Amino acid sequence: MLKKVLIANRGEIAVRIIRACREMGIRTVAVYSEADVNSLHKELADESICVGPAPSNKSYLNVKAIIEATCLKGCDSIHPGYGFLSENSSFAKMCNEIGIKFIGPSSEMIELMGNKSKAKETMKNAGVPVVPGSDGIVDNVLEAVKVALKIGYPVILKASAGGGGKGIRVAYNEEELVKFYDIVKQEAKISFNDDSIYIEKFIENPRHIEIQVMADEYGNCVHLGERDCTIQRKNQKMLEETPSGIISEKLRQKMGKIAVNAVKQIGYSNVGTIEFLVDKNKDFYFMEMNTRVQVEHPITETITNIDIIKEQLKIASGKKMEYKQEDIKFIGHSLEARINAENPDKNFMPCPGEIKELHIPGGNGIRVDTAIYPGYKIPPTYDSMIAKIIVHGKDRKESISKMKSALGEFVIDGVNTNIDFLYKILENKNFINNNYDTSFISKEF
Ligand code: ADP
Ligand code: ADP
Ligand code: MG
């Protein structure tokens, strides 16, 4: 078993990982930036070490400082969480070369899936239906026009190295395509230091349905059902649920089987998520694979009673998976709401600052993953997500009631949050009636 893990992350996910390690008797080392001297993850870990100044590229993305900290503290492994270095294949490679276990898939797998256009090709070859589009990267605007003519408008331009909903534009005609081509290329260069882009058919009014997979290092793999992450703003997830109201047991099994087969075929291990779009005819298309733990993993944990972080640690320790597909049971319904320090009235502008008063909701079936506390100062430097509420009810109706109750109880004084906005979603008739698609927020609010 792993003995001492360095957690190369911050915020709620660092706290989440520390707790899982503690339960398993694994020692933890937190890394923190100068902006995070008073952070909860630093306090909760057994040991901690500063890895640099506030900007991420000088601390949480500072490969040299993080590797040095790992060696200095005598850690045998690194958990990268999500974001930051979690999908950096050269970092994973470096870890393994110097005998530090990177808790995640192999660097080859991260590289294969990290290039979204290459990932589509790989998945297509593994028998997964993919969104129709360009064969790989589109090198120039003429080629883009040609592809769009073939697949038909609207089309979507996407950064091949993209993530976090950035580097994506929809074009409804040739004029827009020509205009957006350069814009997306520029955005991709700035955000991901890689300006390669690809084109897909824009699937209209889809649901975002993703399948959680889990594979050990001996070729055993199961899926843990789907998560419906259709409620998005600017291609970023806001509210997630499982099971999805549009997925029948038959479709769940079909998508799950295709996902598991693909994972086995490419030789992927550890946990991962295969993201699909599902259209009105219930046809589904692979979009991308995230080779890390996801923000919304807890809703799967509550309905399957499987601790995904602990499973990551066990798999990375070289343990054989104790589950077979028939052991995976789905009980009840779960919702997650992402609480961000932002102002919905000012175009969701981030709202860092000091938390003056705080009351965190609780109760039967209510879980809050967070790293905030009264008096905590949210730094302006990082992601604005400050908490996640996860509820588990016997059915969707009960989950919605629980979530409304929890949101109503949450008190965060000192900064603006999206709590009221989330409450309005839960009161929306179309949401309640399961009548929504990825355009829900832009249409209804
Ligand atoms: P999830 O599917 O887990 O919800 P998101 O796409 O919301 O993942 O991303 C999780 C976190 O990681 C967010 O903070 C997001 O900003 C960050 N992130 C994801 N992909 C990238 C990337 N390629 N580059 C930089 N940050 C990323
Ligand atoms: P990221 O890496 O930023 O998560 P994704 O490729 O997963 O990017 O896409 C993010 C979101 O953008 C999806 O959840 C979906 O809402 C929308 N999207 C992406 N591709 C398409 C498409 N071909 N048609 C319609 N919507 C899309
Ligand atoms: Mg995605």
Side-chain angles (χ1 to χ4, degrees):
M1 201 63 201
L2 300 174
K3 291 204 163 57
K4 195 170 178 183
V5 177
L6 180 128
I7 295 133
N9 216 301
R10 65 183 301 281
E12 66 84 19
I13 194 65
V15 170
R16 166 78 186 88
I17 297 162
I18 291 166
R19 287 177 175 151
C21 288
R22 179 150 302 146
E23 276 183 52
M24 294 172 81
I26 301 171
R27 279 188 74 78
T28 53
V29 175
V31 298
Y32 62 94
S33 72
E34 285 166 13
D36 278 340
V37 174
N38 297 313
S39 62
L40 189 64
H41 77 284
K42 179 197 162 206
E43 286 312 308
L44 287 186
D46 294 316
E47 294 169 51
S48 63
I49 181 165
C50 183
V51 286
S56 311
N57 61 344
K58 297 218 158 67
S59 48
Y60 298 105
L61 289 171
N62 182 343
V63 169
K64 189 165 168 278
I66 285 178
I67 299 266
E68 271 170 14
T70 310
C71 297
L72 199 72
K73 290 287 187 183
C75 297
D76 51 20
S77 50
I78 295 180
H79 197 306
Y82 54 72
F84 294 127
L85 296 169
S86 62
E87 290 176 289
N88 182 320
S89 60
S90 54
F91 175 69
K93 188 161 174 234
M94 204 182 300
C95 289
N96 291 329
E97 275 170 2
I98 57 173
I100 297 166
K101 182 71 186 179
F102 177 86
I103 301 168
S106 68
S107 63
E108 289 81 9
M109 283 301 137
I110 300 173
E111 192 179 347
L112 194 62
M113 293 298 130
N115 180 319
K116 289 164 75 174
S117 131
K118 210 159 70 185
K120 272 181 77 176
E121 201 181 305
T122 306
M123 284 296 175
K124 200 172 162 185
N125 293 335
V128 183
V130 304
V131 186
S134 57
D135 285 325
I137 304 298
V138 172
D139 284 321
N140 56 65
V141 72
L142 273 178
E143 203 188 318
V145 170
K146 234 191 257 169
V147 174
L149 270 179
K150 205 173 102 197
I151 59 177
Y153 288 94
V155 298
I156 185 163
L157 288 154
K158 295 167 83 172
S160 195
K166 288 185 215 111
I168 294 178
R169 285 291 169 103
V170 183
Y172 284 86
N173 51 53
E174 192 171 313
E175 196 187 331
E176 285 183 348
L177 177 65
V178 171
K179 188 170 84 192
F180 292 150
Y181 183 85
D182 289 324
I183 294 176
V184 173
K185 237 179 153 52
Q186 257 169 31
E187 280 173 358
K189 179 79 195 158
I190 294 165
S191 298
F192 312 111
N193 195 30
D194 177 351
D195 71 353
S196 47
I197 57 180
Y198 64 108
I199 294 183
E200 272 177 359
K201 175 92 189 148
F202 179 66
I203 309 284
E204 290 187 81
N205 308 111
R207 298 275 279 229
H208 171 121
I209 303 289
E210 55 186 37
I211 305 285
Q212 174 75 56
V213 292
M214 185 163 91
D216 66 17
E217 296 180 348
Y218 310 97
N220 304 300
C221 177
V222 297
H223 73 83
L224 304 181
E226 81 281 7
R227 290 185 289 260
D228 192 325
C229 313
T230 301
I231 303 294
Q232 305 179 351
R233 185 183 156 267
K234 291 193 163 177
N235 303 315
Q236 284 174 333
K237 301 162 186 168
M238 194 182 258
L239 184 71
E240 301 99 341
E241 63 177 304
T242 184
S244 166
I246 65 147
I247 303 292
S248 64
E249 183 52 33
K250 200 170 152 216
L251 186 53
R252 175 172 306 116
Q253 282 182 22
K254 187 175 173 191
M255 292 178 79
K257 206 165 170 187
I258 285 178
V260 166
N261 283 344
V263 163
K264 285 186 176 168
Q265 202 167 316
I266 64 176
Y268 184 96
S269 71
N270 215 286
V271 311
T273 299
I274 304 189
E275 295 189 336
F276 295 95
L277 289 175
V278 179
D279 70 13
K280 276 167 279 183
N281 309 319
K282 302 278 170 77
D283 287 324
F284 57 92
Y285 307 93
F286 169 83
M287 204 167 29
E288 66 158 342
M289 178 166 192
N290 290 326
T291 56
R292 54 170 164 87
V293 67
Q294 270 181 296
V295 174
E296 60 276 20
H297 76 276
I299 57 172
T300 299
E301 298 186 319
T302 58
I303 70 155
T304 59
N305 205 20
I306 291 173
D307 187 311
I308 291 174
I309 305 282
K310 284 198 205 166
E311 292 305 320
Q312 282 195 293
L313 293 161
K314 285 191 236 167
I315 292 165
S317 298
K319 290 227 162 30
K320 231 178 112 178
M321 194 158 59
E322 55 193 276
Y323 302 101
K324 298 224 164 22
Q325 193 60 53
E326 59 265 30
D327 301 328
I328 313 295
K329 299 272 185 305
F330 307 107
I331 295 169
H333 180 276
S334 188
L335 270 170
E336 174 185 85
R338 300 188 187 201
I339 314 294
N340 300 327
E342 62 189 12
N343 189 344
D345 296 330
K346 288 189 178 157
N347 200 25
F348 297 84
M349 187 175 73
C351 185
E354 181 173 340
I355 294 175
K356 298 270 188 329
E357 256 181 74
L358 178 67
H359 168 74
I360 294 179
N364 184 18
I366 294 174
R367 160 179 167 186
V368 178
D369 281 16
T370 184
I372 62 174
Y373 55 83
Y376 174 68
K377 288 196 185 75
I378 303 161
T381 327
Y382 310 107
D383 205 273
S384 58
M385 194 183 77
I386 52 169
K388 308 187 300 205
I389 305 178
I390 302 103
V391 298
H392 187 207
K394 67 177 191 298
D395 51 27
R396 188 170 189 263
K397 194 163 168 247
E398 191 178 74
S399 278
I400 292 177
S401 305
K402 272 186 200 290
M403 185 59 90
K404 282 169 71 179
S405 163
L407 287 167
E409 198 183 312
F410 219 145
V411 177
I412 306 178
D413 270 354
V415 296
N416 286 106
T417 71
N418 61 340
I419 289 178
D420 293 347
F421 188 87
L422 286 162
Y423 198 93
K424 283 183 202 139
I425 296 177
L426 294 165
E427 282 193 315
N428 179 289
K429 268 219 174 61
N430 284 326
F431 178 76
I432 293 169
N433 294 332
N434 187 31
N435 177 27
Y436 65 91
D437 58 56
T438 54
S439 68
F440 174 82
I441 288 183
S442 61
K443 250 191 232 148
E444 304 275 340
F445 294 93

